[in-house]
Amino acid sequence: MPDGVAAQVDCGSRLFLALPDDVLALVSAYLRPLDLCALALCCRGLRAAVASSEKAWLAQCRRLGPPAHALPLWREGVRSYRALCRFLAAVAPLLGVWVHQNPELGNVVSVLWGFLSVVGVRIIPQELGPLGLDAGPLLWAPVFEILADADGAPSCFFHHGRGDHGEDCLYPGSVQSIDPSCNILLLEVDVHLKDPAFPLDTLHLPRSQIFSAVSDRKDPTLVRNLHWSDSSNTNSTPSAAPPSPPSIPFSRLPFNDRRRLLDLVTGRVRLEIPLDLATAPLFDRSPPCDDAKLLARRWSELVKIHEQISGGRIDRKAAELAPGFIEHAPTANGDVISHHQITVSGKRKALVSVAAYLRDGFKQFMSRSNSSKVAGLISRNGNSWGSAQKKHAQLHQFLMSGDAVGLSLRAAHMRLTAYRAWPDMHDNWFALYKLPMQVPSACHEHAGLWAGTFGWPPGQPSEDKPGKALFFLLLSYEEVEERTLLVATKILEGTHYVLHPNGSAMFIAKLDETSSDAFPWETDSEPLQVEVEQSYSGEGIASGYGFRYPGSKPGSLFVLQNGLLAFVWKESRSVLTLQRIDLQELLKRGERVPMLPPVANFSYLTKSYSNVFAGILSNSNCSY
């Protein structure tokens, strides 16, 4: 480099480094985290300045969208704002609405910010009272959560589920990967080699000892004085690990093996959580609730537990080291592995161990892996996902690729086909699919998530029904044959027995065709005069060729003066009234209810046309 150019670069760096920290933070607010890291690579001075600037990384944290008021408290739990930004950037792609085809009433999971975490919660199909969403709580049940560790890594994964006796349980695991453009969430079993520096001996501690040890170290000053101990022995040099065999993806196993393995591992890593943790909030609730202390204490305890149990990893060789440690309950027939909780004698109640299964149980179906063909995810070019995989992998090959087994969550990007806004889904993948959400704009003002009920005035009950079924619709714009359409896709239906397929279009409005029909009612429930701002011709869902293939009948979409949308079927005069919703705010003032067993609580693969949550709600004595 010529001396003149070098001098100019040096002068520019010095001028940049001479800027006050507040100005550097203001400049960094217009950069992406990747740009800030690239700036740090320019020279040693910039690297030191960027790395040490708390305000610059705080500006990056704000750009990623978490609650601004929570960032100072979240900072107390990690080493720096740079570590906090690392976590926020890693998990931000998970935020949004995820769905599954089953049950047909709706399987909607919303992922939102928790406390130094992201939390996935399921919206329960339900009916609304006369005051609608403004007064009645939205029912929800937890599905999973990912917590940050002290370094800002999204390493602490907990799945939620119901135990054998209806109790709330946690199922620890790891986060395998998060693709920045992920559109599918997969619950899997991960097999890997143990880290010699972090032995899995803590897995054999009784549950009561682990929780009492954590409870004894509760710090009333929240996370400010948390002590992050290093459980590794710094004086010992880990022995060189033998070369591991090639890893086999969990997806290559036949469906029966994947299902049994998930049932088995969840039955082993189950944590029966104390009442104070079970009833603690997972995210900020609406005022007047002040949940900061509860959230901070819950986060610190869960992170410590996750560290103590090595992320819920299971040692496959534990049976050889401690014979008789667990009792294997025999199955009624040789083809099914029991996934009920194993009874453990005395106070040695195992927290996690899969040894007896791997020694006895796995032998029952290693040689009988289901070889039935699993259809691939169809990509846009017509090839099935994984078409290069000519046959399924054997279960013993998958297990022998490592000596530690555990639950894992993988957020991947796959090329999926879709019909309108609804993705085509696999019927035997333990997965959730992300809904493509259009951002409202001047051209797409009605795009987004809407909720509503049938009938007019909105929310007013009829004489024979005290409540009305709540519908969630995703409104999106499509260009078809040079015409702009507004498509309302059903993602949740609060009836007791499903009326329309999940993912079907409740109505389609033609935005270039004004309706000549008048709105059937002149007043609303106030009563106030109804003013129609715009109206469009369209088609609404109707009975067709069986349940799976509904038909359509003409109708009109009316845009009312108070922000409501109303679609009226012309022949029957049925009306579906919608209002735009902020799902996170509804959840903050919602009500938590019991959940399904662990695997079904992630993906409910059984075809169902009724409300599978109704039995849980009616039989539960939940005190949330």
Side-chain angles (χ1 to χ4, degrees), residues 525-561:
S525 57
E526 296 299 334
L528 296 176
Q529 190 73 24
V530 174
E531 297 182 11
V532 177
E533 296 182 351
Q534 290 176 312
S535 62
Y536 306 100
S537 296
E539 295 179 343
I541 196 168
S543 300
Y545 186 73
F547 171 78
R548 184 57 56 190
Y549 304 100
S552 61
K553 290 187 176 182
S556 300
L557 176 66
F558 297 91
V559 181
L560 307 182
Q561 83 280 5

Side-chain angles (χ1 to χ4, degrees), residues 124 199 214 300 512:
I124 306 299
V214 174
S300 62
D512 58 351

